[in-house]
Structures are given as structure tokens and as C-alpha cells.
Amino acid sequence: MNVRVVKGVEYASVLGFRPLLLDLHLPSSGPERPVILFIHGGAWRSGDRTRGGPAFEDGFFERLVLAGFAVASVDYRLSGEAIFPAQLDDVKAAVRWLRRHASEHGLDGRRIVAWGESAGAHLASLLGLTGDSAGDEESSAVAAVIDWYGPADFTTMQAQMPPGAGIEHDSPESPEGRLIGGRVSELHDAAIAASPIGYVRPGAPPFQIKHGVDDKIVPCAQSEQLATALRTAGVSVDTEWIEGADHVWTGVTDLRAIFNDSVAFAKKVTGPDGED
């Protein structure tokens, strides 16, 4: 099966800001496909839609298409451009665009899985937990979430950090501080508003969460905390805590099992679909 890429599609326009773009990775033909909305990491202050995750070589998106999905890889406003909730607003706009234009690109707008890594996983989780926005003509809800080592609760991150870790999450210059506009401990309401843990609710879509036990950037306890809250709310959640893995899967010698398991989860939650 051939894979075609439609680059630089404008999915939203924000007054006073550059156009917001996404790339579509699509099969050359075939039935409507469920969609992976991939949200890149980079501490909310770097990265772009061309990244499939720093641990993966080129071909990440192509492998998802070959597995039976269409992929939309999305840019969003970085923290140096706008503070939260601009980033969530942007990825919600991307979901609405995908539904609005699904028939034009052979997409199944009913089956959108938000998949993110690190900062992108944080936004994917927020997408899954916040559901629709009031007054939207198209839904911004997603069918499921794949969360690779994403932050879940800004208010507990620093206390969960392992001894000797080289990042101070309560600094105004930390990734979280830059995202909310100041020190987490001094902007408690903003920190809570930006934390997925605060939106956990019964009826949320199913989650898959994977995290390295030795993560020195985003502690694994963040994902454990989110998984516990989801289960308490009755939400289906599949978890894997990977021994020997640091952030962005550093220390993992074979990433195929991690990738393939997430693909299998995405297939399970979107239902059977033909593969070429």
C-alpha cells in the first residue's frame, strides 16, 4: 500500500497568530480509516508536527498508515507563543477540523484516537477528559487516548521527582511554569486547570498509558496517579510501567513491542478495519 502525505493543511486561524497546520498521512486508496491524531512532545516549548517521537526513526507515521489508520500530526501554539489553555484549544480545533473535512480525505470522523508523547500526551489526555466544548458545531471529543509518559498533575510533580533529578518543576522557567505563566506553587488554580487529573470523570474514553519506571523528567508516579484516578472513576485503562526506561524511552533497546502494543490498543478501541 502506498502512503501519501498532505502537508501543511491549515486547520485553524487564530487572530494575531500564524496559521495552525497539520499534516495528513493517508493510504492511497481504500475505505474510510480511523484516525490517529498525533500530538508531539517537546515540553510545550519546542517540537513540531513532523516529529513522531524522538526515540523513533523516520517512518513512524507511515507504519501507522500501514497498520490501517489515517494519521493527522498537528502543530499547536508553544508556551513561548501563548500560555495554557491555548494549546488545548488548538488540538480541540484540530479534532473539529478532522470531523468537518473527514469525507474529503477518507477519514472516519467517529473514530479519532488522540496519541501523544510527553507534553503531547498531556494534551491528548486533556482531549480525552474534557470532551466537547460548549457551542461547538462539531464535536471535539475523541474515542480513546494513548498517553506515553505524559504529565498528569502539575501540583504533585516536584514531590514525585527522584533524588538527584536535574529539573525543578516548581521553577517559573520549568516547562510547566512557562506553560501556565509562572511558578506552579504560586499559581495553584492555573496549575490545577492545566492538569488532566482534575478532569477525570465517569464516561471518559478508554486510555492506554505507558511510562518508563526510571523517567527522570516526568516521574512515572504521574501516570500511576492518573491511572488510579481513571480506574476509580470506572474508566477503562490499560497500563504498562517499563523497567529501565527513562524519558522518551531512553534505555529501551527494542521499541517494537511498545509501538505494536499501542497500535493493537488503537485497533481494539476503533473496531475492526480492513488492512491493505
Side-chain angles (χ1 to χ4, degrees):
M1 178 179 67
N2 293 324
V3 177
R4 58 190 177 94
V5 183
V6 184
K7 295 184 177 181
V9 178
E10 182 176 337
Y11 71 83
S13 178
V14 180
L15 186 63
F17 190 71
R18 60 180 168 84
L20 294 167
L21 307 178
L22 58 78
D23 290 347
L24 293 171
H25 301 259
L26 306 167
S28 56
S29 61
E32 289 184 343
R33 300 297 179 103
V35 183
I36 300 293
L37 175 64
F38 188 81
I39 310 173
H40 70 81
W44 306 283
R45 60 188 179 191
S46 66
D48 60 46
R49 65 186 186 277
T50 65
R51 292 178 53 176
F56 286 85
E57 60 190 33
D58 292 341
F60 180 82
F61 301 130
E62 181 180 30
R63 289 197 292 272
L64 289 174
V65 175
L66 295 174
F69 297 92
V71 181
S73 182
V74 62
D75 280 342
Y76 52 88
R77 282 172 286 178
L78 303 175
S79 60
E81 301 167 319
I83 62 171
F84 188 85
Q87 296 74 22
L88 178 57
D89 291 342
D90 293 348
V91 293
K92 280 181 172 289
V95 175
R96 293 194 296 270
W97 186 94
L98 289 169
R99 287 207 163 92
R100 191 180 308 125
H101 297 275
S103 61
E104 300 169 30
H105 298 285
L107 312 177
D108 186 341
R110 301 166 300 173
R111 298 185 290 168
I112 299 175
V113 176
W115 182 338
E117 58 101 16
S118 195
H122 161 266
L123 295 174
S125 293
L126 284 170
L127 266 180
L129 293 168
T130 56
D132 287 327
S133 297
D136 289 342
E137 292 184 9
E138 293 87 17
S139 171
S140 57
V142 295
V145 174
I146 298 173
D147 170 350
W148 280 2
Y149 46 85
D153 184 350
F154 289 2
T155 69
T156 60
M157 281 187 76
Q158 189 55 44
Q160 293 169 347
M161 290 295 288
I167 185 169
E168 171 61 59
H169 286 292
D170 195 37
S171 165
E173 300 304 316
S174 70
E176 298 74 29
R178 288 178 178 270
L179 183 68
I180 65 172
R183 194 182 297 276
V184 167
S185 60
E186 296 175 354
L187 296 174
H188 183 77
D189 289 349
I192 290 293
S195 296
I197 198 81
Y199 300 93
V200 171
R201 56 183 172 83
F207 271 64
Q208 183 188 74
I209 305 174
K210 292 182 179 290
H211 209 129
V213 172
D214 296 334
D215 196 324
K216 299 178 183 64
I217 302 297
V218 177
C220 187
Q222 287 279 290
S223 287
E224 293 170 346
Q225 184 182 347
L226 179 59
T228 297
L230 289 166
R231 290 191 176 110
T232 299
V235 178
S236 175
V237 56
D238 172 65
T239 59
E240 184 178 15
W241 317 130
I242 299 171
E243 296 287 344
D246 199 342
H247 204 57
V248 300
W249 303 134
T250 301
V252 178
T253 56
D254 187 354
L255 295 167
R256 287 175 297 180
I258 295 172
F259 175 82
N260 290 341
D261 192 55
S262 289
V263 168
F265 172 81
K267 287 186 174 184
K268 177 181 177 181
V269 296
T270 56
D273 193 78
E275 296 179 42
D276 293 347

